[in-house]
Amino acid sequence: MPRTILMLPGDGIGPEIVAEAEKVLNKINDQFNLGLSFESGLVGGAAIDETDTPLPDETLEKATRADAILLGAVGGPQWDSLPMAKRPEKGLLGLRSNLELFANLRPAILYPQLASASSLKPEVVSGLDIMIVRELTGGIYFGQPRGVRELESGERQGYNTYAYTESEIRRIGRVAFEAAQQRGKKLCSVDKANVLEVTVLWREIMNDLRREYPDVELSHMYVDNAAMQLVRAPKQFDVIVTGNMFGDILSDEAAMLTGSIGMLPSASLNSEKQGMYEPCHGSAPDIAGQGIANPLATILSAAMMLRYSLNEEKAAEAIEAAVSKVLDQGLRTADIMSEGAKKVSTREMGEAVLAAL
Amino acid sequence: MPRTILMLPGDGIGPEIVAEAEKVLNKINDQFNLGLSFESGLVGGAAIDETDTPLPDETLEKATRADAILLGAVGGPQWDSLPMAKRPEKGLLGLRSNLELFANLRPAILYPQLASASSLKPEVVSGLDIMIVRELTGGIYFGQPRGVRELESGERQGYNTYAYTESEIRRIGRVAFEAAQQRGKKLCSVDKANVLEVTVLWREIMNDLRREYPDVELSHMYVDNAAMQLVRAPKQFDVIVTGNMFGDILSDEAAMLTGSIGMLPSASLNSEKQGMYEPCHGSAPDIAGQGIANPLATILSAAMMLRYSLNEEKAAEAIEAAVSKVLDQGLRTADIMSEGAKKVSTREMGEAVLAAL
Ligand SMILES: CC(C)[C@H](C(=O)O)[C@@H](O)C(=O)O
Ligand SMILES: CC(C)[C@H](C(=O)O)[C@@H](O)C(=O)O
């Protein structure tokens, strides 16, 4: 069965890192006879510059047809003063919502080879392996009404709406419980149920689901405490599930605990397991075009894609093993460089993974 | 001029730690001839148990009349299943909003004597001194409409509103710019202006204010990035200003960077500099009643109270010097205990501060 992958390089370092991941996917396609074919499209600032919109219809059509999408990153200072609806981020948000990619999986894993890169003490983070399950198509990111209005007093008020329905909560809850079942069987649901009504409902539905997954130990934590506990003792967590906004904050915090956010992939899935895969890091405009960005998060995102959307576990593992091997060889891009290692460029890193395959 | 301090011990470890702070305030009152008189009141779970409401009218009246309030902490598992409006937290939120305590100052300071308590590497946090200015009476904590409604489909939806007016943003912005002027002259405003309209307005107003404070260097950061940067390189920050919800999360994360949240005070001020002072930590129900809680954050909150609401800088410094002295003496409560130090109880710690005054 022929399967199509849509490549969306996007902005900043996006094109450089996606290029390396594409080489890796091409080779693995041949090696494992996966029958993948590749398309590419415009999104974000790159799309704005060419078509005046961050998510052209053509891209959305290709995305809808594709079996999976590999995205680089979007955004950059040159588009920051555009009105909200025309910003690069709307391309990303539009893809998430149009394809209903409600389940965002963000692992925070410490690679033993990179243990010293963390700003935390080794004993606090060694062996760290957390999975953050973030709801991605609801909550305050998409809630209506929203905008800036003029009050009777004449002054302006900005407003957004944080809303979740029972079914939105239930479907992300199921994904999280299932992830926990396949891992350490511990799920921590993060909310602010002592203040926000929407998260009182969140907590209630998570408690309901518990009955369907008796083998998973469910706990609840307020978001402020979770932000603290991630710093204090991150290894207490196995799977964390939370809404879109809290997930945005906590997954970035968790990723940074490892000290090597340039290593972390992510998956955004819908209920048909169609998915968009992207590195956890952003478009890093400050180093774009210099050939020094770390392509490994994108390459590992390609591995996640093979695992979750294409059901090619062996091919996924082959990529992950190759990445581990180049780390063992002491190859490091600038962001994960340490004394005694060999500093390599984006392309050299990509070539090394290819060679290790 | 006689001045009244309202003591609100609250729940959990609250009564134990407030008792020690009260002794310290009594002694400093005599030493510096401050003319303070003390009242006390019920709030939170303690108030619910006695009067069936988390913020009795009597407490609110006393609070309104008082020159300053010293609060322990509120909340605990025995009140967690009460409906939102009857929970201990509503007592705290009611005080904040009724007294219009819009400016929450939360320092995150690493005490050199406690450097090893941090989960971060010493070089990352040594000398850390950040001030987080959190808006406290607006944003999603108080936004209307809010609740849980039934949709036409029959399923329920929880919803909250995140809103800020120009004047709300401007007044917290001023507090933050002024704080920066008195410190390192760097202000970082944290928002999510790439997604949330309410924070687009936030950013616009912060940019406007810049003109009034030309000596302060203003920067902007998205909240997800701020959560990362606090872990990666917290010393890049001087003053951070942000809304109620993001401030709740980031201030707890920042506090935990020090590893000794039992040491950190906070102030919540209105435009008359009337203020409520409380430790950054919570009510810690798990250790309540055991006499082992750390009273220093509450004692340091009393010092902040003398500084900000009572204009008694010398008395404030005397308390801070006494705290520093007991740390130098090697006295530690359980939460900040380390090898070679002397473990003391809540009361012993309070007595030691008294003796050092
Ligand atoms: C770019 C931005 C809109 C996006 C988000 O907030 O979701 C990013 O921070 C992320 O986490 O993928
Ligand atoms: C207890 C709770 C309502 C409160 C808040 O969320 O503001 C607390 O976390 C705080 O930060 O003071």
Side-chain angles (χ1 to χ4, degrees):
Chain A
M1 43 163 181
R3 293 172 293 184
T4 312
I5 312 296
L6 177 63
M7 311 295 272
L8 298 174
D11 308 322
I13 58 173
E16 301 161 56
I17 56 182
V18 167
E20 300 311 315
E22 191 166 355
K23 289 184 214 161
V24 169
L25 275 173
N26 267 315
K27 179 152 184 188
I28 211 90
N29 191 20
D30 292 347
Q31 282 186 337
F32 286 79
N33 231 320
L34 302 178
L36 305 180
S37 71
F38 300 92
E39 283 202 290
S40 73
L42 292 170
V43 73
I48 295 171
D49 289 351
E50 292 231 359
T51 70
D52 210 35
T53 159
L55 180 57
D57 289 343
E58 196 191 324
T59 300
L60 186 54
E61 277 159 30
K62 285 180 183 169
T64 310
R65 279 199 317 267
D67 294 274
I69 303 164
L70 190 70
L71 179 92
V74 299
Q78 63 267 53
W79 304 287
D80 263 1
S81 51
L82 290 173
M84 187 76 92
K86 290 226 150 190
R87 294 174 58 133
E89 288 86 350
K90 281 286 166 190
L92 182 61
L93 298 176
L95 281 170
R96 290 177 182 169
S97 102
N98 279 291
L99 302 183
E100 276 207 71
L101 305 170
F102 68 91
N104 186 208
L105 308 183
R106 301 203 172 185
I109 290 173
L110 188 86
Y111 287 83
Q113 300 98 330
L114 303 177
S116 65
S118 173
S119 58
L120 280 82
K121 291 179 179 159
E123 65 273 24
V124 179
V125 286
S126 72
L128 185 73
D129 181 358
I130 307 178
M131 174 69 88
I132 303 210
V133 179
R134 167 188 176 195
E135 201 290 332
L136 202 61
T137 53
I140 201 164
Y141 274 62
F142 295 96
Q144 295 286 353
R146 63 194 297 156
V148 177
R149 63 189 156 210
E150 192 161 316
L151 299 179
E152 277 180 22
S153 63
E155 71 165 337
R156 288 172 300 158
Q157 183 190 49
Y159 59 101
N160 284 87
T161 301
Y162 181 5
Y164 272 119
T165 63
E166 290 179 67
S167 52
E168 284 175 317
I169 302 168
R170 201 168 290 116
R171 69 177 179 179
I172 191 69
R174 290 221 161 87
V175 171
F177 271 100
E178 278 160 29
Q181 276 184 325
Q182 279 159 38
R183 292 174 40 108
K185 303 204 166 28
K186 269 172 50 187
L187 176 61
C188 179
S189 169
V190 172
D191 62 38
K192 186 75 188 178
N194 54 348
V195 176
L196 303 180
E197 283 84 350
V198 51
T199 65
V200 173
L201 186 64
W202 178 281
R203 190 175 280 218
E204 179 190 321
I205 303 294
M206 290 295 160
N207 279 332
D208 281 355
L209 283 175
R210 179 187 258 154
R211 262 169 276 147
E212 297 175 33
Y213 305 90
D215 52 334
V216 174
E217 182 196 315
L218 174 70
S219 62
H220 302 280
M221 198 179 272
Y222 296 137
V223 61
D224 47 335
N225 191 22
M228 289 205 303
Q229 295 302 327
L230 279 172
V231 169
R232 195 186 70 81
K235 287 190 271 182
Q236 74 187 277
F237 296 107
D238 175 21
V239 178
I240 292 176
V241 62
T242 190
N244 208 340
M245 186 75 250
F246 295 162
D248 181 45
I249 301 171
L250 295 182
S251 66
D252 270 13
E253 180 185 347
M256 190 48 91
L257 297 175
T258 68
S260 27
I261 190 164
M263 296 295 302
L264 297 176
S266 79
S268 305
L269 304 171
N270 64 22
S271 43
E272 279 86 51
K273 301 278 175 196
Q274 189 194 20
M276 180 157 76
Y277 298 81
E278 43 174 324
C280 273
H281 60 72
S283 60
D286 51 318
I287 59 161
Q290 297 177 30
I292 59 170
N294 187 346
L296 293 179
T298 316
I299 290 171
L300 290 166
S301 297
M304 267 187 118
M305 177 170 87
L306 291 168
R307 172 170 300 122
Y308 289 109
S309 284
L310 303 169
N311 220 351
E312 299 287 356
E313 176 65 27
K314 288 233 168 73
E317 283 172 11
I319 294 181
E320 288 164 350
V323 167
S324 198
K325 202 158 150 193
V326 302
L327 293 178
D328 284 339
Q329 288 162 4
L331 305 185
R332 304 281 185 272
T333 43
D335 58 310
I336 51 173
M337 185 60 193
S338 64
E339 243 189 74
K342 175 151 188 262
K343 195 159 168 182
V344 295
S345 68
T346 308
R347 181 164 311 170
E348 286 165 335
M349 187 59 105
E351 300 289 344
V353 175
L354 275 186
L357 268 176
Chain B
M1 46 165 179
R3 293 172 295 184
T4 312
I5 313 296
L6 177 63
M7 311 296 271
L8 297 175
D11 308 322
I13 58 173
E16 301 161 56
I17 56 184
V18 166
E20 299 312 315
E22 190 166 355
K23 289 185 212 159
V24 169
L25 275 172
N26 266 316
K27 178 150 183 191
I28 212 90
N29 191 20
D30 292 346
Q31 282 186 336
F32 286 78
N33 230 320
L34 302 177
L36 304 180
S37 69
F38 299 92
E39 283 202 290
S40 73
L42 290 170
V43 73
I48 295 172
D49 289 349
E50 291 232 358
T51 70
D52 210 36
T53 160
L55 180 57
D57 289 343
E58 195 191 327
T59 300
L60 187 54
E61 277 159 32
K62 284 180 183 168
T64 310
R65 278 199 317 268
D67 293 275
I69 302 164
L70 190 70
L71 179 92
V74 298
Q78 63 268 54
W79 304 288
D80 263 1
S81 50
L82 290 173
M84 186 76 92
K86 290 227 152 189
R87 293 174 58 132
E89 288 87 351
K90 281 287 166 190
L92 182 61
L93 298 175
L95 282 169
R96 290 176 182 169
S97 102
N98 278 292
L99 303 183
E100 276 207 74
L101 305 170
F102 69 92
N104 186 210
L105 309 182
R106 301 204 172 184
I109 290 174
L110 188 86
Y111 287 83
Q113 300 97 329
L114 303 177
S116 65
S118 173
S119 58
L120 280 82
K121 291 179 180 159
E123 64 273 24
V124 180
V125 286
S126 73
L128 185 73
D129 180 358
I130 307 178
M131 174 69 90
I132 303 210
V133 179
R134 166 187 177 197
E135 201 290 329
L136 202 61
T137 53
I140 202 165
Y141 274 62
F142 295 96
Q144 295 286 352
R146 64 193 299 154
V148 176
R149 62 189 156 211
E150 192 161 317
L151 300 179
E152 276 178 24
S153 63
E155 70 165 338
R156 286 172 301 158
Q157 182 190 49
Y159 59 101
N160 285 88
T161 302
Y162 181 7
Y164 272 120
T165 63
E166 290 179 68
S167 53
E168 283 175 317
I169 301 168
R170 201 169 289 117
R171 70 176 180 180
I172 191 69
R174 290 220 161 87
V175 170
F177 271 100
E178 279 160 28
Q181 276 185 325
Q182 280 159 37
R183 294 173 39 107
K185 302 203 166 29
K186 269 172 51 187
L187 177 61
C188 179
S189 168
V190 172
D191 63 37
K192 187 77 188 177
N194 53 349
V195 176
L196 303 180
E197 283 84 351
V198 52
T199 66
V200 173
L201 186 64
W202 178 281
R203 191 177 279 219
E204 179 190 322
I205 303 294
M206 290 295 160
N207 279 331
D208 281 356
L209 283 175
R210 181 186 256 155
R211 261 169 278 147
E212 297 175 32
Y213 305 90
D215 53 334
V216 174
E217 183 197 313
L218 173 70
S219 63
H220 301 280
M221 198 178 272
Y222 297 137
V223 62
D224 46 336
N225 191 22
M228 290 206 300
Q229 295 302 327
L230 279 171
V231 168
R232 195 186 69 82
K235 286 190 272 180
Q236 73 187 279
F237 296 107
D238 176 21
V239 178
I240 291 177
V241 62
T242 190
N244 208 341
M245 186 75 251
F246 294 163
D248 181 45
I249 300 171
L250 296 182
S251 67
D252 270 12
E253 180 185 347
M256 189 48 91
L257 297 175
T258 69
S260 28
I261 191 164
M263 296 296 301
L264 297 176
S266 79
S268 305
L269 304 172
N270 65 21
S271 43
E272 280 87 49
K273 302 277 175 196
Q274 189 193 20
M276 180 158 75
Y277 298 81
E278 42 174 326
C280 272
H281 60 73
S283 60
D286 51 318
I287 58 162
Q290 298 177 28
I292 60 171
N294 187 345
L296 293 179
T298 316
I299 291 172
L300 290 166
S301 297
M304 266 187 119
M305 177 170 86
L306 291 167
R307 172 170 300 123
Y308 288 109
S309 284
L310 303 169
N311 220 352
E312 299 288 355
E313 177 64 27
K314 288 234 168 72
E317 283 172 11
I319 294 180
E320 287 163 351
V323 167
S324 198
K325 203 160 149 191
V326 302
L327 292 179
D328 284 340
Q329 288 163 4
L331 304 185
R332 303 283 185 271
T333 43
D335 58 311
I336 52 173
M337 185 59 193
S338 63
E339 243 189 74
K342 175 153 189 261
K343 195 158 168 182
V344 295
S345 68
T346 308
R347 180 164 311 172
E348 286 166 335
M349 187 59 105
E351 301 289 343
V353 175
L354 275 185
L357 269 176

